[in-house]
Amino acid sequence: MAQPHLGLIVPPAAGAVPVDGPLLYGERIRFSARGLGLGEISTRGYLDVIDSVVAKAVALKEEGVSAISLMGTSLSFFRGAAFNRQLEIEMARATGLPCTTMSNAIVNGLRHLKVRRVAVATAYIDEVNAQLRGYLQQSDFEPLALEGLSISDVQAVGKVPTRALVELCVKVFEAQPGADGILISCGGLVTLDAVREVEERLQVPVVSSSPAGFWDLARTAGLDARSPGCGRLFAWTAPA
């Protein structure tokens, strides 16, 4: 059987495959990425690149991928749930392939783990946090405490240490009782270690943008998205 080949549209200009893909799936799935050249994590930055998403999807189709994800959470939720859905439709129409977004991924992951009341930790500035709160509410979730690290630099998010992520997750979880689980939002954060640590410490499920993005894309492609030892989301699942 041929190795599955999936496509990623990523915010950084370099167009590198995020580290979570190989960590989760090793040689089981091959990934190709195209970069958008996002200048900053803000509405101004998103507006500069959003119109090039469909062209990047078409370029990935020409590389032979069988499904595509826009692997930017805030880039797909900043205009709300309806816009995210329209973006998915336009990508699919232009390529003829199954397409999804990282905003779909976090919603699908939370629903899969039966999380509705959610504590939210992000990399974002306040403007983007407000957009995320709106997107979650439009998607029938109840965001309780929501706090970000106030980062707008695209490169800086990848350097946030695991300890800082764990501490922020604990802070938002304890700030307002009653959360069913935790969301870590921003595809640039490196979070697999933090997810495992927070799930063990707080005994609730954690959905994080980048791992969830790969999980969701694998399911969109009809593949087995499990990856033992990588958190509750990857423990048992079926194709979408």
Side-chain angles (χ1 to χ4, degrees):
M1 182 177 172
Q3 182 188 39
H5 184 196
L6 306 183
L8 316 169
I9 302 167
V10 298
V17 174
V19 295
D20 289 337
L23 288 172
L24 287 164
Y25 298 119
E27 298 299 315
R28 287 168 49 195
I29 303 173
R30 175 186 167 204
F31 297 100
S32 292
R34 291 292 181 107
L36 290 167
L38 182 69
E40 62 181 53
I41 305 170
S42 69
T43 299
R44 181 171 62 183
Y46 309 144
L47 291 172
D48 285 342
V49 300
I50 195 67
D51 290 340
S52 62
V53 167
V54 172
K56 299 293 182 184
V58 171
L60 284 163
K61 181 191 179 175
E62 292 168 354
E63 285 190 45
V65 305
S66 60
I68 299 169
S69 179
L70 172 57
M71 295 284 279
T73 331
S74 50
L75 192 58
S76 44
F77 71 58
F78 82 103
R79 283 176 168 165
F83 176 77
N84 173 64
R85 174 65 180 148
Q86 187 59 37
L87 195 57
E88 175 193 339
I89 290 169
E90 290 178 11
M91 289 164 60
R93 184 179 294 145
T95 62
L97 298 174
C99 291
T100 188
T101 71
M102 201 173 259
S103 290
N104 289 342
I106 60 171
V107 162
N108 291 337
L110 290 169
R111 288 175 179 157
H112 182 76
L113 294 170
K114 298 180 169 49
V115 175
R116 189 181 163 275
R117 304 183 78 215
V118 60
V120 187
T122 83
Y124 309 135
I125 59 177
D126 289 345
E127 167 195 63
V128 183
N129 282 331
Q131 293 163 345
L132 175 58
R133 182 180 291 277
Y135 173 71
L136 290 170
Q137 289 170 335
Q138 290 164 14
S139 304
D140 297 321
F141 295 96
E142 185 180 346
L144 301 180
L146 191 159
E147 185 172 330
L149 296 170
S150 298
I151 300 172
S152 58
D153 183 273
V154 176
Q155 302 304 320
V157 286
K159 299 173 183 174
V160 176
T162 295
R163 177 176 293 184
L165 293 171
V166 171
E167 288 173 354
L168 182 58
C169 286
V170 172
K171 182 179 180 182
V172 294
F173 183 74
E174 293 180 346
Q176 192 171 336
D180 307 314
I182 295 169
L183 170 64
I184 305 174
S185 187
C186 181
L189 294 169
V190 180
T191 60
L192 274 176
D193 288 341
V195 168
R196 285 185 284 251
E197 188 172 334
V198 172
E199 287 190 337
E200 183 175 351
R201 181 165 168 180
L202 299 178
Q203 294 298 302
V204 294
V206 179
V207 172
S208 178
S209 286
S210 181
F214 284 100
W215 171 86
D216 179 67
L217 177 57
R219 292 171 82 244
T220 297
L223 303 174
D224 182 352
R226 290 174 295 182
S227 184
C230 293
R232 294 192 193 184
L233 186 62
F234 295 91
W236 59 273
T237 186

